[in-house]
């Protein structure tokens, strides 16, 4: 069941009601939660409006100092690990947990309530054992779900028609021009605030959904840079199913069919990657980097050093020192144990075979 730490507690009233109206509403048993979301949005309204006024002139300037770096790749491909490693560099500005939870009040209420909010952070992300601290870098998809309608998290909040919402919010299939324009405006507004919050540093943005949105991101930031991380598809499939089994009971406000989730994962993995490779075709080599998760895991310092070199980033000595300290802190981290059924192995081989061959992956040993 959801609780009051649900991400929609950070939504504004307009987005909250628009998402319910657009994506099928909230099942009766979840009405008390919806009432709490609405009550929280109303209670924060004075701060929301205050920040709207104070941040009205914020925008993402397109200059050499603001060329965002996007970490992309299918869910469970290692994007979080890469994000955490790169965030060790003082070069980058990140989205903090408070920015993720209160995107409308990031520069006001979130700052004033930071000590209280810090104590309410979860011990880990829920879907795995990755710790969450006040400085843990977050992806932008949750705050964007609290600001407008094109976020894959709406498929998790309203999973009654999971595949249709997934395809609309990830691939923008069936999205109106108005909705896409609102998504772009929300990106600019949110990252204008994040950049101010992070003292003008280069935005480092991790989001698996952006793997299919490169063409749209380039319309906002024509000189953006991308790092694509990939992993053994057999592992990705099994881990993605685990991801949804953990998240859906915590976030969903509707009943759903598990079969719909499985079919969406199988169908959308190759489509996501096909879209990515189509979108980055023609971009210079110094703006698109591909990295194999297993190589990052084996030699993280060398992998990050290579990324910093290609993107011509400084602070490499300090970054290396910070990464060493970070790796020491997580040395006892244990991955989720995955169980590979013969049926699931066969499904991956059938549906994702092109990428098994492209990257030369075999069935993992365990």
């Amino acid at each position: 069941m959801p609780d009051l730490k649900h991400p929609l507690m950070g939504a504004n009233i307009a987005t909250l009601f628009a998402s319910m109206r657009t994506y099928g509403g909230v099942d009766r048993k979840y009405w008390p939660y919806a009432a709490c979301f609405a009550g929280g949005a109303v209670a924060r309204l004075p701060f929301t409006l205050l920040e709207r006024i104070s941040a009205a002139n914020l925008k993402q300037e397109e200059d050499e100092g603001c060329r965002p770096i996007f970490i992309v790749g299918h869910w469970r491909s290692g994007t979080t690990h890469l994000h955490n490693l790169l965030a060790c560099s003082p070069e980058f500005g990140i989205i903090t947990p408070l920015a993720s939870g209160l995107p409308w009040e990031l520069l006001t209420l979130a700052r004033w309530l930071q000590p209280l909010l810090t104590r309410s952070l979860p011990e880990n992300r829920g879907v795995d054992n990755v710790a969450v601290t006040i400085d843990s870098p977050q992806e932008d998809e949750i705050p964007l779900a609290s600001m407008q309608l094109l976020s894959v998290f709406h498929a998790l909040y309203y999973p009654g028609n999971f595949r249709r919402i997934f395809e609309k919010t990830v691939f923008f299939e069936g999205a109106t021009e108005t909705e896409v324009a609102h998504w772009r405006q929300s990106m600019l507004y949110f990252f204008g605030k994040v950049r101010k919050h992070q003292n003008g540093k280069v935005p480092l943005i991790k989001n698996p959904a952006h793997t299919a949105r490169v063409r749209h991101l380039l319309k906002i930031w024509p000189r953006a840079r991308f790092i694509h991380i990939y992993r053994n598809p057999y592992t990705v499939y099994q881990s993605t199913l685990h991801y949804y089994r953990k998240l859906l009971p915590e976030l969903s406000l509707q009943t759903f069919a598990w079969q719909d989730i499985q079919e969406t994962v199988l169908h959308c993995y190759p489509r996501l990657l096909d879209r990515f490779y189509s979108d980055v075709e023609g971009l210079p080599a110094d703006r698109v980097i591909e990295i194999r998760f297993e190589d990052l895991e084996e030699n993280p310092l060398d992998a990050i050093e290579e990324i910093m070199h290609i993107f011509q980033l400084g602070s490499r000595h300090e970054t290396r020192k910070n990464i060493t300290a970070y790796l020491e802190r997580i040395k006892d981290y244990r991955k989720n144990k995955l169980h590979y059924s013969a049926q699931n192995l066969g499904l991956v081989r059938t549906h994702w075979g092109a990428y098994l061959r492209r990257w030369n992956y075999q069935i993992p040993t365990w």
Side-chain angles (χ1 to χ4, degrees), residues 303-343:
I304 299 303
E305 178 74 21
E306 179 66 13
I307 291 171
M308 301 284 284
H309 172 72
I310 292 172
F311 285 162
Q312 298 182 344
L313 297 166
S315 307
R316 294 183 197 171
H317 175 74
E318 188 172 357
T319 299
R320 198 173 184 91
K321 181 180 67 174
N322 292 345
I323 289 175
T324 301
Y326 168 73
L327 292 172
E328 177 64 22
R329 291 196 302 273
I330 66 167
K331 65 181 181 181
D332 294 326
Y333 171 79
R334 294 293 179 266
K335 297 179 185 177
N336 292 320
K337 291 184 178 180
L338 302 175
H339 302 282
Y340 301 85
S341 69
Q343 180 184 17

Side-chain angles (χ1 to χ4, degrees), residues 129-148:
N129 299 313
V130 176
V132 177
T133 69
I134 193 63
D135 297 317
S136 298
Q138 306 298 302
E139 65 183 60
D140 61 347
E141 196 71 2
I142 285 180
L144 288 173
S146 296
M147 301 178 78
Q148 50 79 57

Side-chain angles (χ1 to χ4, degrees), residues 242-260:
H242 174 80
Y243 168 85
Y244 286 125
R245 285 194 180 99
K246 294 284 286 186
L247 270 189
L248 281 164
E250 299 295 326
L251 299 180
S252 63
L253 302 170
Q254 297 174 344
T255 56
F256 59 91
W258 178 245
Q259 185 64 27
D260 193 27

